[in-house]
Amino acid sequence: MMKHTVLIAAAALLLACTTPAAAQTAVTEEVIREAEIIPDVIPAVNLDPKLRFALSFPSGDIDAGNLFSINASAAAPSVSISCNPGQCVVPRRTYYTLIMADPDAPSRENPIRRNIWHWGVTNAPNGRIAQGTAITTYRGPMPPMGVHRYVLMLFRQNGQISVPLTPMDGRANFNVTAFAETYGLGAPVAVNWFTSQPDAGP
């Protein structure tokens, strides 16, 4: 009897270890357009299908507009940038810029402050955001009304760039496209976003 119990427990453990996690949404250009990130934030994308752009808060992964409370998104998400297995090798000296913006300020119906610049990191070597230069410190969502989109965009740099720091009071009406053109970034190679609202929970 003991032997059968051990075998059943081992089988259950094996099943638990091999059950695949829920698949994330494939963030394609079509999905980005459906969410109106094009044209509200950027005019175009240049998505790299080989690149894996994974973002998460302690309470869960960011997945094409899923909802996080103000508290749950108060601290910067973790960011992992890598190649999909077997598809590419990241060059040793590749630098990235990460931008997070809210196009729905103060509301999606009346976005007169579009975009609010919530986070900016440049010169992240091989996508290691923690080792990049924070030009805009992370500011979590504080939507005054309605549902806001918080869009994270990854740009591949041609080399290291020098960007002045942005003060806390200079974040409204940030033009993502003009910024990208100024520093030769082109269109983002990866995009994802989450949403938040005043009554989104704990």
Side-chain angles (χ1 to χ4, degrees), residues 6 19 36 42 56 91 95 98 105 122 131 144 162 195:
V6 171
T19 301
E36 298 181 352
I42 46 179
S56 63
Y95 294 95
L98 176 70
T122 61
Q131 296 179 23
S162 179
T195 56

Side-chain angles (χ1 to χ4, degrees), residues 72-157:
S73 54
S78 64
V79 182
S80 174
I81 300 164
S82 60
C83 285
N84 289 318
Q87 291 193 335
C88 69
V89 176
V90 177
R92 292 186 62 186
R93 293 186 180 274
T94 300
Y95 294 95
Y96 290 90
T97 289
L98 176 70
I99 296 292
M100 174 174 150
D102 169 12
D104 302 322
S107 69
R108 190 161 179 174
E109 293 73 26
N110 184 35
I112 58 174
R113 301 185 72 202
R114 175 181 292 170
N115 293 280
I116 301 294
W117 193 358
H118 277 262
W119 195 18
V121 179
T122 61
N123 300 323
N126 292 347
R128 293 190 291 271
I129 298 301
Q131 296 179 23
T133 302
I135 56 172
T136 306
T137 55
Y138 182 84
R139 183 171 74 176
M142 293 186 294
M145 63 186 82
V147 176
H148 284 224
R149 296 164 293 171
Y150 295 88
V151 184
L152 293 111
M153 296 156 281
L154 185 70
F155 298 84
R156 185 176 287 127
Q157 301 173 198

Side-chain angles (χ1 to χ4, degrees), residues 25-37 64 193:
T25 304
V27 181
T28 62
E29 181 173 344
E30 181 181 4
V31 171
I32 293 168
R33 287 185 181 276
E34 287 175 355
E36 298 181 352
I37 291 167
W193 68 100

